[in-house]
Amino acid sequence: LASGETPPATIRSLWHEITHGRPWRGKFRNRRKSGDIYSEQASVTPLRDENARIVGYLKMAEDISALETSEASLRAERDLADALAFRKAMEDSLVTGLRARDLQGRITYVNPAFCEMVGFAPQELLGLSMSAPYWPPERVEEYQQRQAIRFAGTMPPREGFESEFMRKDGTRFPVLIIEAPLINAQGQHT
């Protein structure tokens, strides 16, 4: 209770219960002799003399700081998993094909719409670089040059260009490609 971080309502509840002869159970923030603040799960029971007068209180407590830290970490992990699942559900429901490449040009991600568009399964595309199986053979050199220009950073981001892709069955179709750098949480292009 000495931490100054326990809500006044908790302190009032504690004193109300024990001064009326009832045990109290709850959590509060306390301060060690070292000055460190910690969380405590406690049970406080009034002690009575032979005349049933309250003569003291017995406190049994457990430091639950590590447990609270673990619970907070689990909540954060669950929140992240939920956010990733939501993002994946959004990406999977798009009708626009998405493809991501790393800085070496390897395909690192394709959404279902992209796979449906080109007729290849994700495992047939992931990890490929420099030449994609959905590029028409006679345009591979042109596409590799365009890719080299993009990776050199001389092409403005998000500038679209028309192109042609080829499905696994050989049919061709026009595409509008819009590429932009993927920037991570540290602001680095990945």
Side-chain angles (χ1 to χ4, degrees), residues 13 17 21-22 33 43 46 65 85-86 114-116 118 121 134 136 158 163 171 185 187:
S13 169
E17 293 300 310
R22 295 183 295 267
K33 289 180 183 177
S43 175
S65 301
F86 179 73
F114 188 86
C115 291
E116 186 176 330
V118 297
Y134 48 83
R158 295 181 180 84
S163 195
T171 59

Side-chain angles (χ1 to χ4, degrees), residues 112-158:
F114 188 86
C115 291
E116 186 176 330
M117 181 173 56
V118 297
F120 289 92
Q123 60 271 21
E124 294 176 282
L125 300 173
L126 297 176
L128 297 179
S129 65
M130 293 315 290
S131 182
Y134 48 83
W135 289 353
E138 71 278 2
R139 301 189 81 177
V140 168
E141 188 176 324
E142 171 193 347
Y143 289 4
Q144 286 175 338
Q145 289 172 357
R146 192 164 51 198
Q147 184 171 297
I149 291 168
R150 280 194 303 279
F151 281 114
T154 56
M155 189 175 218
R158 295 181 180 84

Side-chain angles (χ1 to χ4, degrees), residues 73-179:
S73 293
L74 284 174
R75 273 191 305 280
E77 286 179 23
R78 261 193 311 266
D79 290 348
L80 178 60
D82 289 347
L84 290 173
F86 179 73
R87 187 183 97 192
K88 179 154 178 37
M90 285 183 53
E91 290 171 358
D92 288 352
S93 68
L94 290 173
V95 294
T96 301
L98 297 178
R99 176 206 61 209
R101 292 184 300 193
D102 63 18
L103 294 175
Q104 288 72 45
R106 291 182 302 255
I107 297 173
T108 59
Y109 172 81
V110 288
N111 72 340
F114 188 86
C115 291
E116 186 176 330
M117 181 173 56
V118 297
F120 289 92
Q123 60 271 21
E124 294 176 282
L125 300 173
L126 297 176
L128 297 179
S129 65
M130 293 315 290
S131 182
Y134 48 83
W135 289 353
E138 71 278 2
R139 301 189 81 177
V140 168
E141 188 176 324
E142 171 193 347
Y143 289 4
Q144 286 175 338
Q145 289 172 357
R146 192 164 51 198
Q147 184 171 297
I149 291 168
R150 280 194 303 279
F151 281 114
T154 56
M155 189 175 218
R158 295 181 180 84
E159 183 176 292
F161 54 90
E162 292 181 10
S163 195
E164 181 182 50
F165 280 177
M166 185 175 68
R167 291 185 182 91
K168 190 174 186 177
D169 68 9
T171 59
R172 295 168 184 236
F173 59 99
V175 293
L176 175 62
I177 298 174
I178 300 174
E179 292 189 325

Side-chain angles (χ1 to χ4, degrees), residues 3-108:
S3 71
E5 293 186 17
T6 301
T10 301
I11 296 169
R12 281 193 303 274
S13 169
L14 162 66
W15 284 108
H16 180 267
E17 293 300 310
I18 63 176
T19 57
H20 286 85
R22 295 183 295 267
W24 177 87
R25 287 179 188 82
K27 293 181 188 179
F28 54 86
R29 304 280 287 158
N30 212 340
R31 184 183 308 276
R32 299 183 200 286
K33 289 180 183 177
S34 66
D36 294 339
I37 304 292
Y38 67 101
S39 294
E40 192 172 68
Q41 176 73 43
S43 175
V44 181
T45 305
L47 298 175
R48 298 178 182 272
D49 65 12
E50 60 277 351
N51 297 318
R53 288 185 308 227
I54 297 173
V55 294
Y57 303 99
L58 173 66
K59 174 185 164 193
M60 294 177 30
E62 178 182 11
D63 182 343
I64 58 169
S65 301
L67 176 64
E68 287 184 341
T69 300
S70 294
E71 288 173 346
S73 293
L74 284 174
R75 273 191 305 280
E77 286 179 23
R78 261 193 311 266
D79 290 348
L80 178 60
D82 289 347
L84 290 173
F86 179 73
R87 187 183 97 192
K88 179 154 178 37
M90 285 183 53
E91 290 171 358
D92 288 352
S93 68
L94 290 173
V95 294
T96 301
L98 297 178
R99 176 206 61 209
R101 292 184 300 193
D102 63 18
L103 294 175
Q104 288 72 45
R106 291 182 302 255
I107 297 173
T108 59

